[in-house]
Amino acid sequence: MNKRKIIFTFNAPAVLGFALASLGALVLGVFTGGRTNQMFFSVYRSSFLNPLSYVRLFGHVLGHTSFSHYVTNMTLILALGPIVEERYGSWRLLFMFAVTALVSGLFHIFFGGNSMLMGASGIVYMLIFLASTAGAKGEEIPLTLVAVIALYFSQEIMAGLFKADDVSHLTHIVGGICGAVMGLFRRK
Protein backbone atom coordinates (compact mmCIF):
# COMPACT_ATOMS: atom_id res chain seq x y z
CA MET A 1 0.00 0.00 0.00
CA ASN A 2 1.36 3.33 -1.08
CA LYS A 3 1.16 6.05 1.53
CA ARG A 4 0.89 9.58 0.23
CA LYS A 5 2.72 12.37 1.95
CA ILE A 6 1.04 15.68 2.36
CA ILE A 7 3.45 18.50 1.70
CA PHE A 8 2.70 22.12 2.42
CA THR A 9 4.30 24.53 -0.04
CA PHE A 10 5.12 28.20 0.24
CA ASN A 11 3.38 28.69 -3.10
CA ALA A 12 2.98 32.47 -3.20
CA PRO A 13 5.72 34.21 -1.21
CA ALA A 14 4.63 37.77 -2.03
CA VAL A 15 1.00 37.11 -1.10
CA LEU A 16 1.81 35.12 2.02
CA GLY A 17 4.40 37.69 3.09
CA PHE A 18 1.85 40.47 2.60
CA ALA A 19 -0.73 38.58 4.67
CA LEU A 20 1.79 38.00 7.46
CA ALA A 21 2.98 41.63 7.41
CA SER A 22 -0.66 42.76 7.61
CA LEU A 23 -1.26 40.44 10.54
CA GLY A 24 1.83 41.87 12.23
CA ALA A 25 0.52 45.40 11.68
CA LEU A 26 -2.84 44.38 13.15
CA VAL A 27 -1.22 42.86 16.24
CA LEU A 28 0.97 45.96 16.70
CA GLY A 29 -2.13 48.14 16.40
CA VAL A 30 -3.90 46.16 19.10
CA PHE A 31 -0.91 46.23 21.49
CA THR A 32 -0.27 49.96 21.00
CA GLY A 33 -3.89 51.03 21.26
CA GLY A 34 -3.88 52.09 17.60
CA ARG A 35 -0.81 54.34 17.82
CA THR A 36 1.15 52.31 15.25
CA ASN A 37 -1.86 52.45 12.93
CA GLN A 38 -1.83 56.22 13.08
CA MET A 39 1.96 56.44 12.74
CA PHE A 40 2.63 53.83 10.03
CA PHE A 41 -0.43 51.92 8.82
CA SER A 42 -2.93 54.57 7.73
CA VAL A 43 -2.76 57.49 5.35
CA TYR A 44 -4.23 60.93 5.89
CA ARG A 45 -3.45 64.54 5.12
CA SER A 46 -0.21 65.52 6.79
CA SER A 47 2.89 67.50 5.95
CA PHE A 48 5.17 65.97 3.35
CA LEU A 49 8.04 67.37 5.42
CA ASN A 50 7.30 64.55 7.88
CA PRO A 51 9.23 61.43 6.70
CA LEU A 52 6.48 59.18 8.10
CA SER A 53 4.09 60.62 5.51
CA TYR A 54 6.01 58.64 2.88
CA VAL A 55 5.97 55.47 4.99
CA ARG A 56 2.19 55.82 5.38
CA LEU A 57 1.71 56.16 1.60
CA PHE A 58 2.81 52.54 1.32
CA GLY A 59 2.06 51.21 4.83
CA HIS A 60 -1.66 52.01 4.88
CA VAL A 61 -2.45 48.83 2.92
CA LEU A 62 -1.03 46.74 5.79
CA GLY A 63 -3.20 48.32 8.50
CA HIS A 64 -6.68 47.08 9.40
CA THR A 65 -9.23 48.38 11.87
CA SER A 66 -10.14 44.94 13.26
CA PHE A 67 -9.58 41.23 12.84
CA SER A 68 -12.83 41.03 10.87
CA HIS A 69 -11.58 43.75 8.48
CA TYR A 70 -8.29 41.85 8.12
CA VAL A 71 -10.01 38.50 7.44
CA THR A 72 -12.33 39.99 4.81
CA ASN A 73 -9.42 41.44 2.84
CA MET A 74 -7.02 38.53 3.34
CA THR A 75 -9.57 35.92 2.27
CA LEU A 76 -9.78 37.52 -1.17
CA ILE A 77 -6.06 38.28 -1.34
CA LEU A 78 -5.17 34.69 -0.43
CA ALA A 79 -7.68 33.33 -2.97
CA LEU A 80 -6.75 35.56 -5.93
CA GLY A 81 -3.16 36.46 -5.13
CA PRO A 82 -1.48 33.11 -5.87
CA ILE A 83 -3.08 32.99 -9.33
CA VAL A 84 -1.86 36.50 -10.11
CA GLU A 85 1.56 35.88 -8.52
CA GLU A 86 2.06 32.76 -10.63
CA ARG A 87 1.26 34.74 -13.78
CA TYR A 88 3.35 37.86 -13.06
CA GLY A 89 5.98 36.67 -10.56
CA SER A 90 6.57 37.63 -6.93
CA TRP A 91 8.69 40.75 -7.47
CA ARG A 92 6.40 42.16 -10.15
CA LEU A 93 3.36 41.55 -7.92
CA LEU A 94 5.06 43.31 -4.98
CA PHE A 95 5.78 46.21 -7.32
CA MET A 96 2.09 46.25 -8.29
CA PHE A 97 1.12 46.25 -4.59
CA ALA A 98 3.44 49.23 -4.02
CA VAL A 99 2.11 51.16 -7.02
CA THR A 100 -1.49 50.56 -5.94
CA ALA A 101 -0.70 51.59 -2.36
CA LEU A 102 1.01 54.78 -3.54
CA VAL A 103 -1.68 55.77 -6.04
CA SER A 104 -4.59 55.01 -3.69
CA GLY A 105 -2.81 56.80 -0.83
CA LEU A 106 -2.24 59.91 -2.93
CA PHE A 107 -5.84 59.87 -4.18
CA HIS A 108 -7.04 59.64 -0.59
CA ILE A 109 -4.83 62.52 0.54
CA PHE A 110 -5.98 64.79 -2.25
CA PHE A 111 -9.62 63.71 -2.68
CA GLY A 112 -10.58 61.68 0.41
CA GLY A 113 -11.31 64.42 2.86
CA ASN A 114 -9.86 64.56 6.35
CA SER A 115 -10.35 60.91 7.28
CA MET A 116 -7.73 58.20 7.77
CA LEU A 117 -7.50 55.39 5.23
CA MET A 118 -6.27 51.94 6.17
CA GLY A 119 -6.75 48.46 4.81
CA ALA A 120 -5.97 46.35 1.79
CA SER A 121 -9.22 46.76 -0.15
CA GLY A 122 -7.42 48.68 -2.91
CA ILE A 123 -5.09 45.67 -3.24
CA VAL A 124 -8.11 43.34 -3.30
CA TYR A 125 -9.67 45.29 -6.17
CA MET A 126 -6.33 45.41 -7.98
CA LEU A 127 -6.13 41.60 -7.75
CA ILE A 128 -9.73 41.16 -8.92
CA PHE A 129 -9.01 43.25 -12.01
CA LEU A 130 -5.60 41.64 -12.61
CA ALA A 131 -7.17 38.18 -12.42
CA SER A 132 -9.81 39.18 -14.95
CA THR A 133 -7.08 40.09 -17.45
CA ALA A 134 -5.18 36.83 -16.94
CA GLY A 135 -6.06 35.20 -20.27
CA ALA A 136 -5.54 38.28 -22.46
CA LYS A 137 -3.02 38.13 -25.29
CA GLY A 138 -1.66 40.88 -27.48
CA GLU A 139 -4.16 43.66 -28.02
CA GLU A 140 -7.13 41.72 -26.65
CA ILE A 141 -9.39 43.14 -23.97
CA PRO A 142 -11.10 40.23 -22.23
CA LEU A 143 -14.87 40.39 -21.84
CA THR A 144 -14.37 39.20 -18.26
CA LEU A 145 -12.56 42.49 -17.58
CA VAL A 146 -15.38 44.48 -19.18
CA ALA A 147 -17.94 42.61 -17.06
CA VAL A 148 -15.93 43.12 -13.86
CA ILE A 149 -15.53 46.82 -14.64
CA ALA A 150 -19.27 47.21 -15.27
CA LEU A 151 -20.28 45.32 -12.12
CA TYR A 152 -17.74 46.58 -9.61
CA PHE A 153 -17.52 50.18 -10.76
CA SER A 154 -21.28 50.61 -10.94
CA GLN A 155 -21.57 49.14 -7.43
CA GLU A 156 -18.80 51.37 -6.04
CA ILE A 157 -20.10 54.52 -7.72
CA MET A 158 -23.64 53.89 -6.46
CA ALA A 159 -22.39 53.07 -2.95
CA GLY A 160 -20.17 56.15 -2.94
CA LEU A 161 -23.05 58.38 -3.96
CA PHE A 162 -25.88 56.91 -1.90
CA LYS A 163 -24.39 55.13 1.15
CA ALA A 164 -23.10 56.80 4.27
CA ASP A 165 -20.52 54.29 5.47
CA ASP A 166 -16.87 54.15 6.50
CA VAL A 167 -15.81 52.41 3.28
CA SER A 168 -13.48 54.22 0.88
CA HIS A 169 -15.23 53.54 -2.40
CA LEU A 170 -12.68 55.80 -4.11
CA THR A 171 -9.92 53.41 -2.99
CA HIS A 172 -11.80 50.46 -4.49
CA ILE A 173 -12.14 52.29 -7.80
CA VAL A 174 -8.50 53.40 -7.80
CA GLY A 175 -7.32 49.87 -6.92
CA GLY A 176 -9.45 48.43 -9.72
CA ILE A 177 -8.09 50.93 -12.23
CA CYS A 178 -4.53 50.12 -11.15
CA GLY A 179 -5.20 46.41 -11.62
CA ALA A 180 -6.84 46.86 -15.03
CA VAL A 181 -4.08 49.13 -16.32
CA MET A 182 -1.25 46.95 -14.99
CA GLY A 183 -2.98 43.79 -16.20
CA LEU A 184 -3.36 45.11 -19.72
CA PHE A 185 0.11 46.68 -19.96
CA ARG A 186 2.33 44.40 -17.86
CA ARG A 187 1.94 41.01 -19.45
CA LYS A 188 4.44 38.29 -18.69
Side-chain angles (χ1 to χ4, degrees):
M1 182 144 106
N2 225 356
K3 288 188 177 184
R4 289 187 172 183
K5 287 185 181 180
I6 296 174
I7 301 170
F8 293 100
T9 61
F10 200 68
N11 63 319
V15 170
L16 290 167
F18 182 84
L20 288 172
S22 293
L23 181 60
L26 179 66
V27 169
L28 277 173
V30 168
F31 282 118
T32 63
R35 284 187 294 280
T36 53
N37 288 340
Q38 188 168 5
M39 289 177 63
F40 307 113
F41 304 120
S42 60
V43 69
Y44 47 88
R45 285 191 184 146
S46 63
S47 171
F48 282 108
L49 296 175
N50 180 348
L52 289 179
S53 294
Y54 300 98
V55 172
R56 288 190 291 269
L57 278 172
F58 296 96
H60 71 95
V61 296
L62 298 174
H64 290 85
T65 57
S66 66
F67 186 68
S68 174
H69 183 209
Y70 170 81
V71 168
T72 301
N73 282 328
M74 289 310 127
T75 300
L76 288 166
I77 288 171
L78 290 168
L80 294 170
I83 298 163
V84 174
E85 187 168 345
E86 184 177 327
R87 175 159 175 83
Y88 293 101
S90 300
W91 289 110
R92 195 174 278 170
L93 182 60
L94 286 174
F95 175 76
M96 292 175 182
F97 281 5
V99 167
T100 302
L102 177 64
V103 172
S104 63
L106 287 171
F107 262 83
H108 183 76
I109 286 170
F110 294 118
F111 305 111
N114 293 321
S115 63
M116 286 187 358
L117 172 67
M118 63 189 312
S121 59
I123 301 296
V124 168
Y125 275 76
M126 179 205 71
L127 288 171
I128 289 168
F129 281 70
L130 273 171
S132 68
T133 66
K137 296 176 185 85
E139 299 297 316
E140 296 175 354
I141 296 179
L143 286 177
T144 53
L145 175 62
V146 174
V148 167
I149 288 171
L151 292 171
Y152 273 100
F153 282 173
S154 62
Q155 173 185 318
E156 290 306 314
I157 290 168
M158 296 302 286
L161 291 173
F162 300 112
K163 271 189 181 178
D165 56 19
D166 290 333
V167 175
S168 176
H169 300 284
L170 177 63
T171 301
H172 295 173
I173 292 169
V174 169
I177 290 170
C178 287
V181 168
M182 289 186 285
L184 291 173
F185 293 106
R186 294 198 53 99
R187 308 223 173 130
K188 191 171 183 180

